[in-house]
Amino acid sequence: MAELEFDESLAASVQYNEDNIKTLKGLEHVRLRPGMYIGKLGDGSHYDDGIYVLLKEVLDNSIDEFRMGAGKKIEITLKEGTVTVRDYGRGIPLGKLVDAVSMMNTGGKYDSKAFKKSVGLNGVGTKAVNALSETFRVQSFRDGKTRIAEFCRGELVSDTDIIDGEGENGTITTFKPDNDPKIFANYKFKEEFVEEMLRNYTYLNNGLTMEFNGQKFVSKKGLFDLLNTKLVENPLYPIIHFKGEDIEIAFTHCLQFGEDYFSFVNGQYTTQGGTHQSAFREALGKTIKEFYNKNMDLTDIRQGIVAAIAINVEEPIFESQTKTKLGSKDMYLDEAGKDNVSVNKFVNDFVKEQLDNFLHKNQTVADILLKKIQDAEKERKAIAGITKAARERVKKVSLCNRKLRDCRIHYSDTKGDQDLKEKTSIFITEGDSASGSITKSRDANLQAVFSLRGKPENSYGKSRKLVYENEELNLLQAALNIEDGMEGLRYNKVIIATDADVDGMHIRLLLLTFFLQFFPDLVRNGHVYILETPLFRVRDKKQTFYCYSDEERVDAIKKIEKSGSKVEITRFKGLGEISPEEFKGFIGDNIKLEPVNIRKEDDLSHMLEFYMGNNTQQRQDFIIDNLVIEEDAPNE
């Protein structure tokens, strides 16, 4: 590696004195480095975008009040981008109201007597919400007294101090995320994401009622209800549900590939798992092997599992401020912290006792589970002989052709800038012309391109053997690096970029079927997207409009006609027709992506069977009954 040369002229030309030493006041650091506090910013189109983290931070405080036995109801309203959260807890102590929401490292969570097994521990949450909101208002009620403080981007605007005020004890927090282009530009809350968040809170807090814009959410069976809602396939056996002191578990198996987990700590949804989830996976495999007294492969045991685990921990350690992954290795089971045990042992002991007893008492479930594991083993061994050859083909193809135009930064190995990691993506295109246009206009640091040859094989109802026998699917699997699970995924966004015609739609469906059939975790975890590209270009000599629908096309034509110019309309039928220069605008900062989501109500098995199965006549009748003939727009 070349050595860096010492450059005296550079040091002399750059000023470095007292003026360069900066001290940020109040909440300035939150606004300067928001990613450190809330992860990515986003515009609200994805469930983990920053505006939902702001809501979660406020709700966490209300949840902690409930967990301390204060207040059984939380009311949330959302109107025109402004959120109000009303709880009926103890209320923030009035004398410290302003400090509690504006002074970093200030809060009641440092005192474990006031908040036991809480989520928020670092005194950051509502301060970050305050700093990143264009308006922030907090009002606390305590025993006939109240205080109201209002802020603008973290700066105090007004403070009533302590005054008489009627109202049940508790706190009302209202905030509107900052629409500044550097913070939450053009954001919009998706109510379905908010509802999902609230449901998760109720599953983990029996007896809590959450009301969102008049709609009530409550759960009686905890994680059983959660899992029953999350299942998109029919379970092979009824959900197994165990609940103990500081731990709750629910799981079943489905006829699907991969593993699906929902894990929580102190009511916090740890989307990236952590020590508790790893402990459960290990304990499940160990207990089942011991029960059947067979040398089973752990991948066979866990294939198709859908599970949820929740634990409560004194002073949990998370790997980031957004608390998406638990790092704690120990659990403190009493107030003094004397009786502690490792998370792994705590979970293992609970699973071993509960699951072993259950399987001994429920022979029918034990038989179904054993057959599921044996079937997984047979399939694994059936493809074992061809995987080595398939991997060798991948290596040769990767070396001698340009099927994958890779990027420099990858999702799986980026440990630095979280925002960059989130932006890593791969475009799956059809044909050389489309892949060529995207390749020339992409960001080579963060965006890769994979070029398909022809239409992929329909994988519905097929075994994993197909992936290794079909060269296109084998290469795609290798490019994504997901053969052994999602841990090695190389791109955060897997973007299907096909033409806006019948063939393009067919290829899109075939790719989605491939992912849903063999890698459902890729879809469930929000990694799969559809690239939206304009259908029309409407322009004159002075202005150009790119239109994504007929309505937008009509509006653009009207705007140009008002100026008296001649309108030129181009209908883009293939991505290859869009020049690389134009493509920069469609895959850069203004990229339009439609996330692919699956829910229980989608009935995945029925949906795939209907669209991709052999029910030709039924599907044909549906198409004829719903056929809409689109006339091509003029191309001048």
Side-chain angles (χ1 to χ4, degrees):
M1 187 173 72
E3 294 184 3
L4 293 174
E5 296 182 3
F6 180 72
D7 188 348
E8 290 187 3
S9 63
L10 178 62
S13 65
V14 178
Q15 293 293 324
Y16 179 56
N17 51 40
E18 287 83 355
D19 293 336
N20 298 112
I21 307 300
K22 305 291 185 183
T23 299
L24 299 178
K25 298 179 181 179
L27 301 176
E28 288 180 339
H29 191 265
V30 182
R31 292 187 62 80
L32 184 64
R33 299 283 188 269
M36 289 181 60
Y37 299 91
I38 65 167
K40 68 175 184 177
L41 295 174
D43 60 2
S45 59
H46 201 260
Y47 70 90
D48 62 352
D49 282 349
I51 58 173
Y52 304 110
V53 178
L54 299 189
L55 173 57
K56 183 191 73 65
E57 293 290 358
V58 175
L59 286 173
D60 281 348
N61 289 340
S62 298
I63 294 295
D64 286 337
E65 287 295 318
F66 168 80
R67 294 168 78 89
M68 289 301 297
K72 295 184 177 181
K73 181 172 69 172
I74 302 172
E75 299 163 347
I76 304 97
T77 58
L78 169 61
K79 186 177 182 181
E80 297 178 354
T82 298
V83 181
T84 299
V85 177
R86 170 47 153 136
D87 68 42
Y88 296 89
R90 294 164 292 184
I92 300 173
L94 302 182
K96 291 288 187 177
L97 179 68
V98 173
D99 290 351
V101 298
S102 64
M103 187 175 293
M104 295 296 283
N105 304 317
T106 302
K109 310 297 174 65
Y110 297 110
D111 185 348
S112 61
K113 294 179 181 178
F115 288 92
K116 300 174 184 176
K117 297 173 183 174
S118 164
V119 174
L121 298 172
N122 300 319
V124 173
T126 50
K127 271 72 78 176
V129 182
N130 188 352
L132 299 175
S133 296
E134 59 181 77
T135 58
F136 181 89
R137 181 183 188 273
V138 60
Q139 179 174 12
S140 178
F141 295 93
R142 285 177 73 101
D143 306 321
K145 299 291 184 179
T146 190
R147 185 177 181 181
I148 305 170
E150 296 182 347
F151 299 80
C152 176
R153 298 180 173 88
E155 296 289 336
L156 183 64
V157 174
S158 66
D159 176 15
T160 65
D161 216 332
I162 301 174
I163 59 176
D164 292 335
E166 295 182 1
E168 292 185 52
N169 284 0
T171 304
I172 303 175
T173 305
T174 300
F175 68 93
K176 184 174 185 179
D178 194 347
N179 201 30
D180 185 299
K182 295 180 180 179
I183 309 295
F184 303 113
N186 301 315
Y187 75 87
K188 184 179 180 181
F189 281 97
K190 284 195 171 185
E191 292 194 6
E192 57 264 39
F193 292 160
V194 177
E195 291 172 1
E196 182 79 358
M197 184 190 303
L198 301 184
R199 286 193 186 94
N200 284 341
Y201 278 122
T202 59
Y203 295 141
L204 298 159
N205 296 279
N206 290 348
L208 172 66
T209 297
M210 304 194 81
E211 189 172 303
F212 174 52
N213 285 352
Q215 183 180 3
K216 291 185 179 181
F217 298 90
V218 65
S219 171
K220 295 182 179 180
K221 296 183 179 180
L223 292 188
F224 179 94
D225 290 340
L226 180 147
L227 216 60
N228 194 43
T229 302
K230 297 290 186 182
L231 289 174
V232 294
E233 295 276 2
N234 291 326
L236 295 178
Y237 53 86
I239 295 171
I240 298 173
H241 184 211
F242 305 132
K243 191 169 184 178
E245 185 72 23
D246 290 321
I247 186 169
E248 183 179 1
I249 289 170
F251 71 91
T252 186
H253 280 78
C254 297
L255 285 175
Q256 61 186 40
F257 293 94
E259 306 170 36
D260 203 9
Y261 297 98
F262 305 92
S263 61
F264 304 84
V265 175
N266 296 6
Q268 165 68 33
Y269 184 16
T270 43
T271 54
Q272 296 183 35
T275 51
H276 58 320
Q277 182 172 304
S278 299
F280 170 70
R281 294 176 75 243
E282 181 181 330
L284 180 84
K286 183 179 178 181
T287 302
I288 288 177
K289 287 175 69 173
E290 290 179 356
F291 173 79
Y292 292 110
N293 195 26
K294 294 179 181 291
N295 185 25
M296 299 170 165
D297 191 289
L298 292 177
T299 59
D300 298 332
I301 293 174
R302 296 194 294 249
Q303 181 176 299
I305 192 171
V306 185
I309 176 172
I311 65 172
N312 295 322
V313 182
E314 286 274 1
E315 300 186 7
I317 299 172
F318 295 99
E319 294 192 3
S320 70
Q321 168 58 25
T322 52
K323 309 180 185 77
T324 55
K325 187 174 184 179
L326 180 68
S328 299
K329 294 183 179 179
D330 294 318
M331 292 185 63
Y332 299 94
L333 303 179
D334 67 359
E335 293 182 28
K338 295 179 180 178
D339 182 15
N340 67 297
V341 64
S342 71
V343 170
N344 194 68
K345 178 172 172 46
F346 177 74
V347 174
N348 184 76
D349 289 350
F350 179 78
V351 171
K352 179 176 176 55
E353 178 183 359
Q354 297 292 326
L355 181 55
D356 188 72
N357 287 341
F358 178 88
L359 292 175
H360 274 101
K361 295 176 182 178
N362 294 271
Q363 188 61 46
T364 300
V365 173
D367 291 342
I368 294 172
L369 179 57
L370 178 60
K371 185 177 186 305
K372 171 70 178 75
I373 296 169
Q374 291 172 337
D375 289 344
E377 180 184 26
K378 288 178 183 177
E379 182 173 22
R380 177 174 54 82
K381 290 182 176 180
I383 65 174
I386 64 173
T387 54
K388 184 177 180 180
R391 288 170 185 156
E392 288 300 319
R393 291 201 307 273
V394 165
K395 290 180 182 178
K396 292 179 181 179
V397 171
S398 297
L399 289 172
C400 64
N401 80 2
R402 292 172 55 82
K403 194 166 192 65
L404 172 66
R405 283 84 162 182
D406 209 355
C407 53
R408 299 184 183 94
I409 300 173
H410 296 112
Y411 180 73
S412 56
D413 55 19
T414 302
K415 300 185 184 299
D417 192 319
Q418 182 68 19
D419 189 48
L420 284 181
K421 181 175 181 177
E422 297 287 346
K423 289 180 180 178
T424 57
S425 55
I426 182 170
F427 295 93
I428 304 174
T429 68
E430 50 173 317
D432 294 333
S433 59
S435 63
S437 291
I438 295 181
T439 300
K440 291 175 183 176
S441 54
R442 66 173 174 147
D443 178 348
N445 285 319
L446 297 166
Q447 296 175 321
V449 182
F450 183 90
S451 179
L452 284 171
R453 184 182 62 193
K455 291 183 179 180
E457 187 170 343
N458 183 0
S459 55
Y460 173 68
K462 305 290 179 61
S463 73
R464 280 290 293 272
K465 188 177 179 182
L466 169 71
V467 182
Y468 296 98
E469 293 178 335
N470 183 285
E471 185 164 313
E472 290 296 299
L473 298 181
N474 185 30
L475 292 172
L476 179 56
Q477 170 186 254
L480 298 177
N481 195 33
I482 54 177
E483 179 183 3
D484 297 320
M486 294 300 107
E487 290 79 8
L489 179 63
R490 302 178 76 233
Y491 315 95
N492 180 47
K493 293 183 174 69
V494 179
I495 303 169
I496 300 174
T498 57
D499 291 343
D501 57 16
V502 174
D503 283 340
M505 179 61 73
H506 191 202
I507 292 173
R508 179 188 301 181
L509 290 174
L510 290 168
L511 285 171
L512 288 175
T513 302
F514 169 65
F515 291 137
L516 291 171
Q517 180 76 16
F518 300 119
F519 306 103
D521 289 356
L522 195 67
V523 182
R524 289 196 196 97
N525 295 334
H527 292 294
V528 180
Y529 296 81
I530 304 297
L531 176 66
E532 293 187 35
T533 52
L535 297 175
F536 307 97
R537 180 181 61 209
V538 180
R539 66 182 179 183
D540 62 8
K541 293 182 179 180
K542 296 182 179 180
Q543 53 190 333
T544 300
F545 298 95
Y546 293 101
C547 309
Y548 291 78
S549 66
D550 281 319
E551 291 77 9
E552 290 184 11
R553 174 176 63 89
V554 172
D555 289 342
I557 292 172
K558 289 179 180 177
K559 290 176 182 177
I560 293 178
E561 287 179 340
K562 281 184 179 179
S563 64
S565 300
K566 180 181 178 181
V567 181
E568 176 190 314
I569 306 170
T570 301
R571 169 70 158 92
F572 295 123
K573 293 188 176 180
L575 300 185
E577 297 176 11
I578 304 176
S579 69
E581 198 59 39
E582 286 179 302
F583 237 124
K584 286 183 180 180
F586 310 139
I587 63 172
D589 292 338
N590 298 320
I591 190 170
K592 289 191 175 184
L593 298 175
E594 182 67 29
V596 179
N597 299 310
I598 52 175
R599 305 159 298 175
K600 181 180 180 181
E601 53 265 36
D602 291 330
D603 193 352
L604 185 58
S605 294
H606 179 266
M607 183 171 63
L608 286 176
E609 181 181 5
F610 179 80
Y611 287 105
M612 308 306 293
N614 295 321
N615 55 338
T616 309
Q617 188 60 50
Q618 184 183 0
R619 187 164 59 243
Q620 181 177 321
D621 292 342
F622 175 84
I623 293 172
I624 293 173
D625 292 341
N626 293 273
L627 183 64
V628 176
I629 299 176
E630 178 186 349
E631 295 183 3
D632 284 348
N635 190 346
E636 300 180 8

